[in-house]
């Protein structure tokens, strides 16, 4: 089985920055993509970033120019660098690994507030 362990989130002021990490371990035979979703209170889960096995990245308009996804293949780790954070970015952030099925991290709380 695959395990995804996310770093701790945190409380950040509007305009601040935070970096999340997600370390993968286990029997991974092939990876289609890795990325991040988030879920705010009372809202449906929203996709926020992806990176394919070839290194291509994608983002929705809501985070373009502010968030950057990257990976460290040697550490089997994917990162989400979040800059210029807004209160509407407040959510639980979940990393995922897409292979033959979807694997999910445990989720980490990011709160953007004054």
């Amino acid at each position: 089985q695959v395990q995804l362990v996310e770093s701790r989130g945190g409380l950040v002021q509007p305009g601040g920055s935070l970096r999340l990490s997600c370390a993968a371990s286990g029997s991974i035979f092939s990876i289609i993509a890795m990325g991040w979703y988030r879920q705010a209170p009372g809202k449906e889960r929203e996709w926020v970033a992806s990176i394919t096995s070839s290194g291509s990245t994608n983002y929705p308009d809501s985070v373009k120019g502010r968030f950057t996804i990257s990976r460290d293949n040697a550490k089997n780790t994917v990162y989400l660098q979040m800059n210029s954070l807004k209160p509407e970015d407040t959510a639980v952030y979940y990393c995922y690994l897409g292979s033959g099925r979807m694997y999910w991290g445990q989720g980490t709380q990011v709160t953007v507030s004054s």
Side-chain angles (χ1 to χ4, degrees):
Q1 282 289 339
V2 174
Q3 283 188 285
L4 300 175
V5 180
E6 299 180 31
S7 62
R8 185 181 180 185
L11 174 62
V12 187
Q13 292 187 333
S17 298
L18 188 68
R19 188 180 75 163
L20 304 179
S21 66
C22 175
S25 63
S27 299
I28 306 171
F29 295 99
S30 65
I31 300 175
I32 305 300
M34 295 185 69
W36 298 84
Y37 277 76
R38 66 186 181 187
Q39 188 165 28
K43 305 294 184 181
E44 294 187 1
R45 186 169 293 190
E46 175 191 26
W47 168 74
V48 296
S50 68
I51 184 165
T52 69
S53 59
S54 64
S56 298
T57 59
N58 284 283
Y59 311 89
D61 289 341
S62 59
V63 307
K64 278 183 181 177
R66 300 189 298 119
F67 289 13
T68 303
I69 188 170
S70 62
R71 66 186 183 190
D72 184 336
N73 291 334
K75 297 181 178 180
N76 297 121
T77 300
V78 64
Y79 303 91
L80 185 67
Q81 178 66 47
M82 302 182 290
N83 299 326
S84 302
L85 283 162
K86 306 174 181 179
E88 50 262 46
D89 295 319
T90 296
V92 176
Y93 283 72
Y94 300 88
C95 69
Y96 71 86
L97 184 155
S99 185
R101 55 157 288 181
M102 293 284 284
Y103 299 90
W104 296 94
Q106 79 276 16
T108 188
Q109 177 70 49
V110 174
T111 302
V112 184
S113 176
S114 298

